[in-house]
Amino acid sequence: MKKYLIPVFISFCFNLNFSQNDTYQSTLIDFMKAQGGYETLYTSFDQMVQMMGVNSNDEKYKDLREEMIKNLVIKMVPLYKKYYTEEELKEGIKIFQTPIGRKIAESNPLIVSESMQLSMQWGMEISGKLQEILNE
């Protein structure tokens, strides 16, 4: 009898853990969508693809984008779990459902996109200043 109970127990524990990860991942996606982070993943991926000259309307591109974003979210689950419980993510979702939370979520992808350009300019300025110091 014990021979049968141990595999069943192990299977139950594995399935329970998988189920918990699955619900956490789903909550994480909801959180990322609520705070604008999920849209930022699409924006970042689209910018990388466009820089490589790929047609973003190509079905292969869309499939790859979905696959890569899904894989990134899976990789991000342990990172978010390190800092937030699933309940905290749910509370965060509530914050982003307020008027100011929605405004932050809507503007976040735009700010990220524009700040990448500013960061590149800033990096060029730093390089120039460092080069001046090195040339002295």
Side-chain angles (χ1 to χ4, degrees), residues 4-17:
Y4 298 110
L5 287 177
I6 292 174
V8 169
F9 178 73
I10 290 171
S11 177
F12 175 76
C13 290
F14 176 76
N15 287 333
L16 182 62
N17 187 40

Side-chain angles (χ1 to χ4, degrees), residues 12-86:
F12 175 76
C13 290
F14 176 76
N15 287 333
L16 182 62
N17 187 40
F18 179 76
S19 175
Q20 288 172 342
N21 281 339
D22 195 40
T23 62
Y24 191 93
Q25 181 178 325
S26 176
T27 303
L28 176 58
I29 290 170
D30 291 343
F31 175 78
M32 292 174 76
K33 286 179 179 178
Q35 57 111 355
Y38 205 74
E39 182 63 32
T40 301
L41 295 177
Y42 279 87
T43 302
S44 299
F45 190 89
D46 289 345
Q47 286 176 346
M48 283 188 274
V49 167
Q50 289 171 359
M51 286 172 46
M52 296 181 72
V54 175
N55 180 0
S56 62
N57 293 322
D58 188 339
E59 282 303 314
K60 288 187 247 180
Y61 155 79
K62 290 178 182 179
D63 292 343
L64 176 64
R65 179 178 64 187
E66 293 303 318
E67 176 188 338
M68 296 305 295
I69 289 175
K70 180 181 175 183
N71 288 341
L72 180 60
V73 170
I74 290 169
K75 291 176 183 177
M76 292 174 82
V77 166
L79 175 64
Y80 274 81
K81 275 188 169 183
K82 184 176 174 181
Y83 297 99
Y84 303 109
T85 66
E86 187 171 356

Side-chain angles (χ1 to χ4, degrees), residues 84-135:
Y84 303 109
T85 66
E86 187 171 356
E87 287 306 311
E88 289 171 328
L89 291 179
K90 289 177 181 178
E91 288 298 313
I93 292 168
K94 290 178 187 175
I95 291 169
F96 288 108
Q97 291 172 338
T98 66
I100 188 62
R102 281 192 294 274
K103 183 173 183 175
I104 291 168
E106 290 168 3
S107 61
N108 190 45
L110 301 171
I111 291 170
V112 168
S113 178
E114 292 177 36
S115 68
M116 288 193 322
Q117 294 171 350
L118 291 173
S119 294
M120 288 181 5
Q121 291 172 350
W122 183 60
M124 298 283 282
E125 288 177 34
I126 291 171
S127 293
K129 299 283 183 185
L130 287 174
Q131 194 61 43
E132 289 175 17
I133 292 171
L134 290 172
N135 289 336

